[in-house]
Amino acid sequence: MAENGEEKLIAVARHIAKTLGHTNTMTDDILKIFSNFDGRLREKLTEKLSEDGVEQILNNLDRQISRYISSDNPIWSNAADAAAFLGSVDQLIAAVRDWTPLADDKNISSCLDRAEDLLQQSMFRLEDEFRTLVERGAESFDLTLSESTHPHPDYSDYDDDDNGFADEDENFIPVAQQITDYDIVIDALPAGTIGDLHAIAKRMVAAGYVKECRHAYSACRREFLDESFSRLGLQKLSIDDVHRMQWTQLEDEIEKWIKAVNVALRILFPSERRLCDRIFLGFSSAADLSFMEVCRGSTIQLLNFADAVAIGSRAPERLFKVLDVYETLRDLMPEFELNFSDQYCLLLRNEAMTIWKRLGEAVRGIFMELENLIRRDPAKAAVPGGGLHPITRYVMNYLRAACRSRRTLEQVFEESVDYRKGDDQALSSSSSLAVQMAWIMELLESNLEAKSKIYRDSALCSVFMMNNGKYIIQKVKDNELGTLLGEDWIKKHTAKVRQYHVNYQRSSWSKVLGVLKVDINSSSPSGASKSLKEKLKLFNSYFEEIYKTQSSWVIFDDQLRDELRSSVSGSLSPAYRNFVASLQTVPDFGKNADRYIRYSVDDVEARINELFQGTSGGKR
């Protein structure tokens, strides 16, 4: 009777241990508790195991499993073989789990060593099968399907068992989502293959071979990402490789990079994330680590390129491509946070943020280099005819083009800006960017004033400043640059151009107008006649000199040229007309006035309209 009671107790103990033993240690702990409770119980458990034929069980499992391990053909080429092999592996895992707490027994310990060795061989074969399935699945499946017609499932209620994928539509690929701005959706692996991989992963995790499983998976998927990047035209470049590139070549690489990083963050990485979640369903740490191992190398490759651009040359002509890289990373920061949200990817997420900010520093550095370029531009040779200086044309076209990215530049120049605000962030004329632009304009103006001093003729100095000032105002008006600088700035500089206009007339024509003044208090007719003759000679000389000189001067703007001519004519023609009339009233002079008067009023006006016809070199 007592014997029968002990057998029942042993059976109950083993049943409880099996039922609750869902972890690697729980069964061992339960058996130890029972054993410590009563040493006789441990003896009976060991005795019972021996009676059940531990060695026979192991021999049977060895015979079943070895047949598959030694096979040259892939086990998963036959569904029945795969199911049988997994069944035997399940039995082996359970046996090792049950025998481990009783390893102190010599007979069981010997069988346990054999079982663990067989389990290791089984895991090696499962690892090979796992790798084969991943590789063949990727090779055989269409990776360029334009869209998926099936809704994406919710995996939250998924039952983690061997048949979890059995009822799914074999044509349904749950690892891809349509991206609005892209024409392709990547279906990473067939659904059936995913089910097989999950079944293998489940056994390898249960047997304590999760690391090997992860490595097999990540190695294959890394190759897939490398091939995808290669097809996108992206080379594996070191930072030094990028810095050694010619700028035109680097521009091409930046275009490829922008395409690749968008595809990676919006298509490839989300697909890999979902694939990891399905294959390692129920094992979140394994899924997160596998995803990190798969995507880390590709992500570092992408970020290293952006970093190379950020720490590269600050030459002003690079601004626009650097802005492209900056904007691309900024716009993808939500994708970085979404794809790399787990603890293992924190470093990648932080690195993306760091490089994005470093690109902002690069943009600010480029503007500092532009300032230095303006300061260093020497005041050597004067521009012929007082025309547009190349530095004016360069800087104004540069700033005008840069301000097409005004919102991005505003973000760069604001010290504390959250990228999530993006284009909705309010901008004002007192922003950091506005201050930066006003400072560059001040530097340019100071540089032009220094260059104007090269001209010995003060009138030509005024023409030079008038030309460049007018050009600056034209480039500022009716665009983002004008909005940043503000109406007050435009009015102030328009007034400066008008003052240059006044200075020009005073320098060029004041002495001509002075000659044309008639002294009505002359002592005698003969004295008046002589004085007028002298004045007429002086006028002809001054006028011809000015005409000869200033006809080669430049006023690039048609309206400004017409205004200047009209202004000169408006002050000179009436004075000359009065002077000629005075000549004709003088005795002994008026009858022969035509002999002395070289230019009629119409001739003077015609000559004035021929001024400023020099070549401006274009006003682009």
Side-chain angles (χ1 to χ4, degrees):
M1 189 73 177
E3 184 74 20
N4 188 41
E6 287 182 352
E7 290 182 357
K8 287 183 178 180
L9 179 60
I10 292 169
V12 170
R14 296 185 67 189
H15 175 72
I16 293 172
K18 265 192 172 180
T19 303
L20 298 179
H22 288 300
T23 69
N24 291 338
T25 62
M26 191 178 294
T27 303
D28 299 353
D29 294 340
I30 293 168
L31 288 173
K32 284 179 181 178
I33 291 171
F34 279 117
S35 299
N36 294 334
F37 179 76
D38 191 332
R40 292 174 300 166
L41 180 60
R42 181 179 184 85
E43 293 174 3
K44 290 293 182 180
L45 285 170
T46 305
E47 180 183 343
K48 191 67 179 174
L49 283 173
S50 299
E51 291 174 359
D52 288 342
V54 172
E55 190 165 356
Q56 184 178 353
I57 293 172
L58 182 56
N59 289 337
N60 289 337
L61 288 175
D62 192 354
R63 185 168 53 255
Q64 295 168 18
I65 291 173
S66 297
R67 179 166 64 90
Y68 293 108
I69 290 176
S70 61
S71 174
D72 294 332
N73 298 322
I75 299 174
W76 261 257
S77 62
N78 184 289
D81 286 344
F85 183 58
L86 288 178
S88 298
V89 170
D90 286 340
Q91 293 178 49
L92 181 59
I93 292 172
V96 171
R97 183 178 61 214
D98 291 344
W99 299 346
T100 299
L102 308 174
D104 291 344
D105 182 91
K106 185 176 181 181
N107 292 330
I108 293 179
S109 177
S110 175
C111 290
L112 183 60
D113 289 341
R114 283 183 54 202
E116 288 177 342
D117 182 63
L118 181 61
L119 183 62
Q120 184 182 52
Q121 295 179 51
S122 301
M123 292 302 111
F124 289 163
R125 183 57 192 253
L126 280 179
E127 183 181 346
D128 290 340
E129 294 291 326
F130 188 95
R131 185 179 289 105
T132 300
L133 283 171
V134 174
E135 292 174 348
R136 291 188 178 178
E139 290 172 1
S140 64
F141 208 72
D142 184 3
L143 299 178
T144 58
L145 295 179
S146 60
E147 63 181 357
S148 176
T149 58
H150 299 272
H152 298 288
D154 178 5
Y155 301 130
S156 59
D157 298 326
Y158 181 81
D159 182 15
D160 186 11
D161 59 35
D162 295 347
N163 299 318
F165 296 87
D167 296 332
E168 290 188 9
D169 178 358
E170 287 297 313
N171 294 321
F172 166 48
I173 306 303
V175 293
Q177 289 183 355
Q178 185 71 31
I179 303 300
T180 305
D181 297 331
Y182 292 84
D183 295 327
I184 63 171
V185 169
I186 289 184
D187 298 322
L189 292 174
T193 300
I194 294 172
D196 292 336
L197 291 170
H198 173 70
I200 295 175
K202 185 177 177 182
R203 272 69 179 190
M204 293 187 74
V205 171
Y209 285 77
V210 61
K211 185 176 181 180
E212 289 76 5
C213 185
R214 284 197 343 256
H215 287 177
Y217 172 80
S218 59
C220 295
R221 296 309 297 173
R222 278 197 301 268
E223 291 179 7
F224 170 77
L225 287 182
D226 289 343
E227 178 63 23
S228 297
F229 277 23
S230 178
R231 290 181 181 180
L232 289 168
L234 197 66
Q235 304 179 56
K236 285 190 175 182
L237 301 169
S238 68
I239 290 178
D240 288 339
D241 290 336
V242 174
H243 289 169
R244 284 194 292 266
M245 281 185 178
Q246 295 295 321
W247 176 237
T248 52
Q249 183 185 0
L250 182 55
E251 283 183 305
D252 293 338
E253 290 300 321
I254 288 174
E255 289 299 321
K256 295 175 185 176
W257 178 87
I258 290 173
K259 179 180 179 182
V261 74
N262 273 285
V263 170
L265 268 296
R266 293 179 175 174
I267 299 177
L268 294 175
F269 292 169
S271 296
E272 291 302 323
R273 175 76 263 183
R274 289 188 292 272
L275 185 60
C276 284
D277 289 344
R278 291 204 64 181
I279 291 175
F280 296 98
L281 188 61
F283 314 107
S284 58
S285 293
D288 292 343
L289 275 168
S290 296
F291 174 74
M292 183 273 292
E293 290 171 355
V294 169
C295 298
R296 178 177 55 191
S298 298
T299 305
I300 290 173
Q301 179 184 350
L302 293 168
L303 292 178
N304 278 349
F305 182 87
D307 198 26
V309 173
I311 64 177
S313 169
R314 295 288 195 267
E317 65 269 15
R318 298 194 173 205
L319 171 68
F320 306 101
K321 285 300 179 183
V322 174
L323 279 175
D324 286 344
V325 177
Y326 174 90
E327 290 174 341
T328 299
L329 267 190
R330 177 199 64 193
D331 295 344
L332 288 173
M333 284 311 300
E335 277 71 23
F336 271 102
E337 291 192 349
L338 180 63
N339 289 312
F340 303 126
S341 58
D342 61 76
Q343 59 178 325
Y344 305 109
C345 293
L346 178 62
L347 289 176
L348 294 176
R349 191 166 70 247
N350 290 343
E351 184 67 7
M353 180 68 72
T354 298
I355 292 173
W356 173 59
K357 291 181 177 179
R358 195 172 292 151
L359 284 161
E361 294 171 3
V363 171
R364 292 190 291 273
I366 288 173
F367 273 90
M368 290 179 63
E369 186 58 31
L370 178 64
E371 295 171 16
N372 293 332
L373 184 149
I374 295 171
R375 290 191 188 96
R376 293 194 300 262
D377 193 61
K380 292 181 179 179
V383 177
L388 278 177
H389 197 281
I391 191 68
T392 306
R393 186 180 297 112
Y394 175 82
V395 172
M396 294 313 301
N397 285 323
Y398 186 91
L399 295 182
R400 188 180 175 100
C403 283
R404 294 185 189 126
S405 302
R406 173 191 164 191
R407 295 186 181 277
T408 297
L409 289 174
E410 188 67 38
Q411 184 176 3
V412 167
F413 281 96
E414 291 297 335
E415 289 184 359
S416 56
V417 130
D418 190 340
Y419 71 86
R420 296 174 185 84
K421 294 180 181 178
D423 291 346
D424 295 331
Q425 185 179 9
L427 302 174
S428 67
S429 60
S430 61
S431 66
S432 298
L433 179 60
V435 173
Q436 176 68 36
M437 292 299 174
W439 171 241
I440 291 176
M441 299 304 296
E442 186 176 334
L443 287 176
L444 176 61
E445 189 174 358
S446 298
N447 183 274
L448 291 172
E449 287 174 355
K451 287 177 167 59
S452 71
K453 292 179 171 57
I454 300 175
Y455 299 102
R456 296 181 180 178
D457 190 327
S458 59
L460 185 54
C461 174
S462 296
V463 167
F464 174 78
M465 293 303 295
M466 200 184 331
N467 269 317
N468 287 273
K470 180 70 173 180
Y471 184 83
I472 288 171
I473 292 169
Q474 285 182 343
K475 288 295 181 180
V476 166
K477 281 183 175 180
D478 303 324
N479 63 78
E480 296 286 355
L481 182 56
T483 304
L484 283 168
L485 294 173
E487 285 299 321
D488 289 343
W489 190 95
I490 295 174
K491 289 177 181 178
K492 177 183 176 181
H493 285 76
T494 300
K496 284 186 176 183
V497 171
R498 285 198 296 268
Q499 186 59 49
Y500 294 136
H501 184 155
V502 172
N503 293 345
Y504 158 76
Q505 282 200 241
R506 185 184 297 119
S507 299
S508 285
W509 300 101
S510 57
K511 65 179 180 179
V512 179
L513 291 171
V515 167
L516 296 179
K517 291 180 180 179
V518 178
D519 184 5
I520 60 174
N521 298 319
S522 181
S523 58
S524 65
S526 61
S529 174
K530 183 176 180 181
S531 175
L532 289 173
K533 286 181 181 179
E534 290 297 324
K535 285 178 178 289
L536 184 59
K537 285 182 180 180
L538 284 174
F539 170 81
N540 290 338
S541 174
Y542 289 161
F543 184 73
E544 287 171 359
E545 180 183 354
I546 290 173
Y547 172 75
K548 180 180 178 181
T549 301
Q550 297 190 12
S551 59
S552 64
W553 287 6
V554 174
I555 299 293
F556 80 90
D557 182 71
D558 294 340
Q559 181 182 354
L560 181 60
R561 189 188 313 115
D562 291 342
E563 288 176 358
L564 203 56
R565 288 171 176 172
S566 177
S567 178
V568 171
S569 180
S571 59
L572 185 61
S573 293
Y576 186 63
R577 186 178 288 107
N578 291 337
F579 180 78
V580 170
S582 299
L583 282 176
Q584 293 173 340
T585 61
V586 175
D588 300 329
F589 190 85
K591 295 179 181 179
N592 302 309
D594 292 341
R595 291 171 54 190
Y596 299 98
I597 299 173
R598 189 176 302 173
Y599 301 106
S600 66
V601 174
D602 290 341
D603 291 336
V604 169
E605 291 181 346
R607 292 290 194 279
I608 290 172
N609 286 330
E610 292 174 359
L611 298 177
F612 317 121
Q613 290 185 340
T615 302
S616 67
K619 67 164 190 171
R620 292 169 296 170

